[in-house]
Amino acid sequence: MAEPAPSLLPFNNLTISDTVTEADFSQRVLIRSILTRPDAGAGLAGQTVKVGGWVKKGREQGKGSFAFLELNDGSCPANLQLIIYADVAPLGQFTPTGTCLHVEGVLQMPPEDKQGKQSIELKVTKVLDVGAVDPAKYPLPKTRLTLEFLRDYVHLRPRTNTISAIARIRNALAYATHTFFQKHGFLYVHTPIITTSDCEGAGEMFQVTTLINDAEKVEKELIKNPPPSQEDVDLARSVVKEKGEIVAKLKSDKAGKPEITAAVAELTKAKENLSKVEERSKLKPGIPKKDGKVDYGQDFFARQAFLTVSGQLQVETFACALSSVYTFGPTFRAEHSHTSRHLAEFWMVEPEIAFADIEDDMKCAEAYVRFLCQWLLDNCLDDMEFMVEKFDKKAIERLKMVASTNFVRLSYTEAVTILEEAVSKGHKFENKVEWGIDLPSEHEKYLTETKFESPVIVYNYPKGIKAFYMKVNPDKKTVAAMDVLVPKVGELIGGSQREENYEVIKERILEMGLPLEPYEWYLDLRRYGTVKHSGFGLGFERMILFATGIDNIRDVIPFPRYPGRADL
C-alpha cells in the first residue's frame, strides 16, 4: 500500500514544533527549524542533532583550544553558532570562510554573559564530513562584496547572504504564483521555448538553427574527402548502365535464377553507389541558399525558428478550450541593451482567461500582485528584513502598501493629461509628454510615486504603440490594453483584451508588416468558435526588483544572460 503524499509546505514556511524539523531526503536538521522558533531555539537545549552547511565566519579562541563557527545551510538568513573543541578534530580546517561542514552535536544555551544574537548554539561532538577551502584561493572573502563583482562568480555567489536571500524570495514568489492561479481554478500549461511566431512583432528574437553547424560539418568533410568530380559521377553511371545491360542479357538468355539474382544484386549495389556519389557531388561549402536567400527548408525544422519572447499566443490555444490557463517560464529577447532593467533571458507569468474583458483582466492582475506582496510578508519576512537592512529601507513598507491598497485606474488619455499638467506646473521630464507616446519609466514613476503614491493601472492605449492581437476599441484609435505600474520599477504587468474578430485581427497583422502564414493557426482560433478573452504578462524579475529594492535585474535571476555574457 502506497504511503500518503506529504503536505507540500512552502520552503519558507516550515512548521515549528517541540522538536527540530528534519530536512527531507537529507541527513540533517534545517537550521531554520532551530532558529525561527518563538523561543529562538532555547527550548531545544539538550537535543542531539546533525546539521550541515557552509561556514560564514570562523575563529579560534582559547589559545587554539576551541573555535566558534557561524554555519548557514540556506534555509534562512540567520547562522547557527557552532562551538567545536580541539579534541574533536584539528580546528584549522574548519575556520576558513566557505568550508562545508556536516556535523553532529548537542544544542545548548550559551553562557549568559556570552549570549548575543542567538539563545542557542551547537556543541559539536562529531565531524561527519568536511569540504575544505584554501582561503588563499577562495574568491569570496569575508569582506562585503559588490553585486557587480559577484556577477563574475555566478557559480559561487549563491553562498553570499544577499544572493541566497534573493533566491528564497524568488522561490517564495514562484510558489505564491502557482498557489494563486491554482486556487482560482487556472490550469498550468507548458508553452514551447522554440517557436515560429513573433508575439511582439518586434523582430528582436534569437534564431534557432542548425544550418551553421551543418555547414561547418560539410566544410570539414569536403576538406577531408573532396567531392567526386563529374568524371567520377559519369563513371558511376556507366557502371550502373553496364550492370543493367548484364541483367537484361541474362534475362533474355533465360539464364538460371541464381545467376540472375547475383547480377541484380550487383546492379543494386552500383545504383546505391551512384546515389551516394551524386549526393556528395552536390555538397557545397557555406549555408544553403535558394533564390539568393537562406534556404530554411534545409534547416532542422524546415522553416525559420526562434526562442520565444512570450508564451502568450500558444497559451491562448488552451484558453480557447479550457477557459482559465497560465504559463510560467523563460522567455528571450535579442535586444542589445546594457541597462539595469534588461536581460536576454527572463521569466514571464502569463495567464489567459476566456469569457473575460479588459475589466476582468485588470481585476485579476491587481488581485495577483496584492497576493504576491502579502505572501512575502507572511512567509518570507526574515529575508525581507535583510533586504531592508542592506538595500532598501522602504521595501517592507512598499509591500504592505501594495497589499492593502486599491490600485488607481485611469485611461492613457487621463494619464497624459496629468503628466501635461505636471509639466505646466514646472515639473521637468527628460522625455516629451504627448498623446501617442509609449510612457517611459520616468512618467510611470511620476504617476505611482509622486502623483498617487500608489500602484496605478493605465488602460486604453493608442493602437499604434501596441501589439496586433490587442482588442481595437470602438474609437478605432485605442486598444483595450492595460499596464500595471508600481513604485520603484514602473511597469510590472502588461496585458489586454485580445482581438477575437477574425477580419480585424487579420488586418492588424498586415498593418504591422507581419506575414500571415506563421499566424494561420492563431487566426484559426478566431475562425472556429471564437471567444472573448483577455490576459497579461508579469515580468517575474521585475517583481523581484520591486519586492527587494535591488537596483539591477542581473542580480535577481540565478544565471543572468545579457550582451557579452552567458556564464555556465
Side-chain angles (χ1 to χ4, degrees):
M1 182 175 177
E3 295 182 4
S7 174
L8 295 178
L9 292 174
F11 181 72
N12 300 79
N13 192 25
L14 298 171
T15 301
I16 304 301
S17 63
D18 292 333
T19 59
V20 290
T21 302
E22 293 281 350
D24 291 338
F25 320 116
S26 182
Q27 301 170 23
R28 65 188 176 94
V29 161
L30 296 174
I31 287 176
R32 180 180 180 83
S33 72
I34 299 172
L35 301 181
T36 58
R37 294 166 49 93
D39 60 5
L44 300 174
Q47 289 197 32
T48 297
V49 299
K50 295 176 182 178
V51 297
W54 288 262
V55 174
K56 293 290 186 178
K57 294 179 182 178
R59 65 188 188 279
E60 292 186 34
Q61 291 198 335
K63 297 182 180 179
S65 61
F66 64 94
F68 283 115
L69 310 173
E70 289 188 26
L71 199 73
N72 190 282
D73 66 356
S75 63
C76 67
N79 304 323
L80 176 65
Q81 181 169 283
L82 274 55
I83 180 169
I84 181 169
Y85 288 87
D87 59 356
V88 174
L91 301 179
Q93 60 183 320
F94 304 133
T95 55
T97 297
T99 299
C100 183
L101 289 179
H102 187 200
V103 299
E104 183 175 273
V106 179
L107 291 167
Q108 65 181 24
M109 304 279 289
E112 287 189 15
D113 60 334
K114 300 293 185 182
Q115 287 184 12
K117 294 181 181 179
Q118 295 184 5
S119 59
I120 196 77
E121 66 183 14
L122 183 73
K123 179 183 177 183
V124 176
T125 57
K126 185 187 297 183
V127 177
L128 305 174
D129 281 302
V130 180
V133 162
D134 181 348
K137 297 179 180 179
Y138 188 56
L140 304 182
K142 288 185 289 186
T143 55
R144 187 172 181 180
L145 304 168
T146 67
L147 294 176
E148 184 177 10
F149 172 84
L150 290 174
R151 287 176 216 143
D152 291 331
Y153 297 94
V154 291
H155 58 301
L156 293 175
R157 69 175 187 169
R159 299 187 184 187
T160 64
N161 295 335
T162 298
I163 300 301
S164 60
I166 292 170
R168 287 186 292 271
I169 291 169
R170 186 182 178 101
N171 171 75
L173 288 171
Y175 191 97
T177 291
H178 289 295
T179 300
F180 175 83
F181 288 112
Q182 294 294 327
K183 173 184 174 184
H184 289 285
F186 284 68
L187 190 76
Y188 180 34
V189 176
H190 295 151
T191 51
I193 289 176
I194 298 174
T195 179
T196 55
S197 304
D198 182 356
C199 176
E200 301 297 329
E204 295 171 333
M205 304 177 75
F206 287 101
Q207 189 166 339
V208 177
T209 180
T210 59
L211 290 180
I212 297 173
N213 286 343
D214 291 345
E216 290 176 347
K217 288 178 183 177
V218 168
E219 190 172 342
K220 290 178 181 178
E221 169 64 19
L222 292 178
I223 292 173
K224 185 177 180 181
N225 299 305
S229 64
Q230 187 59 46
E231 290 181 0
D232 295 325
V233 175
D234 292 341
L235 177 60
R237 285 174 179 163
S238 67
V239 171
V240 169
K241 183 180 179 181
E242 178 186 333
K243 299 296 182 182
E245 290 172 347
I246 292 174
V247 170
K249 187 173 189 309
L250 287 172
K251 288 181 177 180
S252 66
D253 292 346
K254 296 183 180 181
K257 186 175 181 181
E259 195 174 357
I260 293 176
T261 300
V264 168
E266 288 291 322
L267 174 60
T268 301
K269 186 176 179 181
K271 286 181 176 179
E272 289 175 353
N273 180 63
L274 172 61
S275 178
K276 290 178 181 179
V277 171
E278 287 180 330
E279 185 177 343
R280 289 201 77 250
S281 71
K282 295 175 183 176
L283 290 178
K284 295 180 181 179
I287 294 174
K289 292 189 176 184
K290 185 177 182 180
D291 299 328
K293 297 180 180 179
V294 175
D295 183 7
Y296 289 106
Q298 297 189 44
D299 208 347
F300 188 90
F301 296 107
R303 62 191 301 178
Q304 271 189 293
F306 309 91
L307 295 181
T308 184
V309 296
S310 169
Q312 177 211 313
L313 300 188
Q314 287 83 1
V315 86
E316 280 187 56
T317 66
F318 277 76
C320 293
L322 303 174
S323 299
S324 295
V325 297
Y326 72 105
T327 185
F328 179 13
T331 54
F332 308 84
R333 183 160 295 174
E335 184 176 358
H336 282 276
S337 176
H338 292 270
T339 75
S340 61
R341 291 290 183 269
H342 288 88
L343 287 168
E345 178 184 330
F346 51 96
W347 284 63
M348 292 289 293
V349 179
E350 298 174 289
E352 203 71 27
I353 319 165
F355 309 101
D357 60 17
I358 187 67
E359 181 67 24
D360 301 309
D361 205 31
M362 291 190 284
K363 286 179 182 177
C364 181
E366 178 174 343
Y368 172 47
V369 173
R370 292 177 64 175
F371 184 87
L372 292 181
C373 293
Q374 190 61 52
W375 186 276
L376 288 181
L377 294 170
D378 293 342
N379 298 284
C380 224
L381 189 59
D382 49 1
D383 284 306
M384 287 307 307
E385 288 171 341
F386 173 84
M387 303 312 297
V388 166
E389 178 187 351
K390 301 295 184 182
F391 292 96
D392 188 341
K393 302 298 182 187
K394 296 183 178 180
I396 291 178
E397 178 185 322
R398 195 165 53 244
L399 290 178
K400 289 180 177 178
M401 181 272 289
V402 173
S404 61
T405 302
N406 291 325
F407 294 8
V408 173
R409 296 189 189 182
L410 63 157
S411 70
Y412 171 89
T413 300
E414 290 171 327
V416 171
T417 299
I418 290 171
L419 294 168
E420 288 174 336
E421 288 174 355
V423 172
S424 68
K425 293 177 181 178
H427 191 92
K428 301 291 186 183
F429 291 116
E430 290 184 9
N431 296 275
K432 186 179 180 181
V433 177
E434 60 181 348
W435 199 94
I437 65 167
D438 194 1
L439 299 180
S441 180
E442 62 169 342
H443 294 168
E444 295 171 341
K445 289 184 178 181
Y446 175 84
L447 294 171
T448 58
E449 297 174 7
T450 304
K451 177 64 178 178
F452 296 106
E453 297 181 335
S454 162
V456 175
I457 302 180
V458 179
Y459 60 91
N460 287 349
Y461 278 81
K463 181 176 72 170
I465 61 172
K466 290 296 183 180
F468 70 87
Y469 50 76
M470 297 186 178
K471 176 74 174 177
V472 178
N473 287 324
D475 63 12
K476 305 298 182 183
K477 296 193 304 180
T478 62
V479 289
M482 66 90 182
D483 287 344
V484 177
L485 315 179
V486 294
K488 182 71 179 177
V489 301
E491 182 188 339
L492 181 63
I493 282 176
S496 72
Q497 181 175 339
R498 315 311 189 189
E499 181 58 70
E500 79 272 18
N501 183 286
Y502 170 78
E503 294 298 338
V504 174
I505 197 167
K506 179 180 177 182
E507 183 180 335
R508 288 284 287 144
I509 291 173
L510 295 174
E511 277 181 16
M512 299 288 287
L514 298 171
L516 283 176
E517 190 273 331
Y519 299 98
E520 284 296 335
W521 65 269
Y522 191 67
L523 292 171
D524 277 349
L525 301 178
R526 278 73 180 169
R527 286 189 184 101
Y528 313 122
T530 188
V531 61
K532 174 175 62 179
H533 60 289
S534 300
F536 62 81
L538 174 137
F540 196 61
E541 283 73 31
R542 288 201 171 197
M543 180 63 207
I544 303 171
L545 288 178
F546 165 76
T548 61
I550 295 292
D551 288 325
N552 198 308
I553 199 168
R554 298 171 183 177
D555 302 318
V556 298
I557 190 169
F559 305 99
R561 272 84 173 97
Y562 49 95
R565 295 297 291 267
D567 298 345
L568 277 65

